[in-house]
Structures are given as structure tokens and as C-alpha cells.
């Protein structure tokens, strides 16, 4: 069934996914600010960076969780906000664990994007990506991959 609220292009772009029960397209119009990408190691946040499009890992300060955020994506207004970053990461910790518990098929290396819904001032999940389809922004990929390696090692040792 087609919904008049969903642009026709979206239906066309997702038709190849028809019949796949594990794919969902859910998008609401939310007023977002401070988008933040959290790099997950299984069910645990391992690294993160604000979704600042002109930043790359070369802009990383070396911390696992970069604290720079862009209020409105693409605005160029960047702040350094450790408290808000911590709030987003803590939300991702809870949401990421619940999502991974619901679908362990997310694997050991995946990406969870969160943001603040400015209508409610609450964090929300806005996107999930596989590792190979995720922009890195000013993240610390080394911290992420070390955490994935450690998670795999711990789980393999527990299974042995």
C-alpha cells in the first residue's frame, strides 16, 4: 500500500528490498540538532563523533568520543560540548544494547546515529548503518576496531 505521506521516489528506491523481512524504512519528520555517530562494538558504544560533514579522522583529537557537535547539520556552527556528547553517548548505550539484543545480526561492528529532537529536547535514534557504509567524520577508527577486537575475543573465550 502506498502512503500519500511518503514520496514516490522512496518507494522506487526501496523496491529491491521487497520481501526481505529484516529491512524497515521508517522516517518521520523530526526537527533534529546535534547529530552524533556512535560506532558500536556489538552492544556497546566504542567511539563516536559529531556528524560534521567536513571532518574526517584526520580531524580527530585522538579521543574515543569526539565532543564537537554541529547544532544544525551543515550550518558550520560547531561547538565543543562534552556534557551533551555524554548525554548522546549514554542514550546510544541504552538504545544500542536494546537494538543489538533485538537483532544480534547487527554484528560486532555497526553504526548508530543519534540526535536531539528539538521539539522534545530528547535524544532519538535516527539511523543504523553497517560498518562498511558509514562515514567516519572526526572519529577514532582505531579505538572502534580495538573495541570490536576485544569484544570478539571476550565472547570467543567465553564460548570455549
Amino acid at each position: 500500500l502506498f502512503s500519500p505521506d511518503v514520496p514516490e521516489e522512496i518507494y522506487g528506491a526501496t523496491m529491491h528490498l521487497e520481501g526481505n523481512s529484516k529491512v524497515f524504512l521508517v522516517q518521520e519528520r523530526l526537527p533534529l540538532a546535534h547529530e552524533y555517530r556512535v560506532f558500536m562494538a556489538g552492544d556497546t558504544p566504542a567511539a563516536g563523533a559529531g556528524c560534521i560533514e567536513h571532518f574526517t579522522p584526520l580531524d580527530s583529537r585522538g579521543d574515543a568520543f569526539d565532543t564537537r557537535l554541529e547544532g544544525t547539520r551543515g550550518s558550520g556552527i560547531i561547538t565543543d560540548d562534552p556534557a551533551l556528547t555524554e548525554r548522546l553517548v549514554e542514550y546510544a548505550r541504552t538504545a544500542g544494547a536494546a537494538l543489538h539484543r533485538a537483532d544480534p545480526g547487527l554484528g560486532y561492528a555497526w553504526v548508530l546515529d543519534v540526535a536531539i529532537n528539538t521539539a522534545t529536547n530528547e535524544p532519538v535514534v535516527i539511523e543504523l548503518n553497517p560498518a562498511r557504509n558509514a562515514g567516519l567524520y572526526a572519529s577514532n577508527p582505531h579505538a572502534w576496531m580495538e573495541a570490536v577486537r576485544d569484544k570478539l575475543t571476550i565472547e570467543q573465550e567465553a564460548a570455549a
Side-chain angles (χ1 to χ4, degrees), residues 11-71:
Y11 283 115
T14 59
M15 282 188 183
H16 68 283
L17 301 173
E18 185 177 352
N20 186 337
S21 64
K22 292 194 173 199
V23 175
F24 298 93
L25 174 65
V26 180
Q27 184 169 350
E28 291 188 50
R29 201 175 187 107
L30 295 176
L32 300 175
H34 309 294
E35 293 180 44
Y36 196 79
R37 177 153 291 168
V38 181
F39 299 88
M40 302 293 292
D43 62 355
T44 307
C51 297
I52 303 169
E53 293 172 343
H54 63 276
F55 279 3
T56 73
L58 294 174
D59 297 295
S60 173
R61 297 174 177 164
D63 300 327
F65 296 94
D66 192 272
T67 57
R68 291 170 288 180
L69 299 163
E70 189 170 26

Side-chain angles (χ1 to χ4, degrees), residues 68-89:
R68 291 170 288 180
L69 299 163
E70 189 170 26
T72 301
R73 192 167 186 172
S75 70
I77 301 170
I78 298 166
T79 59
D80 194 333
D81 194 332
L84 183 53
T85 299
E86 180 61 25
R87 182 176 176 209
L88 290 166
V89 171

Side-chain angles (χ1 to χ4, degrees), residues 77-157:
I77 301 170
I78 298 166
T79 59
D80 194 333
D81 194 332
L84 183 53
T85 299
E86 180 61 25
R87 182 176 176 209
L88 290 166
V89 171
E90 284 307 309
Y91 175 76
R93 185 175 315 286
T94 302
L99 287 164
H100 196 267
R101 194 171 38 256
D103 186 2
L106 287 168
Y108 289 96
W110 59 286
V111 175
L112 171 63
D113 286 358
V114 296
I116 297 294
N117 175 348
T118 59
T120 63
N121 197 35
E122 293 298 322
V124 293
V125 171
I126 58 171
E127 190 174 319
L128 289 91
N129 285 296
R132 67 181 179 276
N133 191 36
L136 297 173
Y137 303 114
S139 69
N140 182 337
H142 189 73
W144 180 29
M145 290 298 102
E146 282 184 337
V148 169
R149 180 203 60 211
D150 294 347
K151 180 73 96 173
L152 276 166
T153 301
I154 290 167
E155 290 193 13
Q156 288 172 347
E157 288 173 355

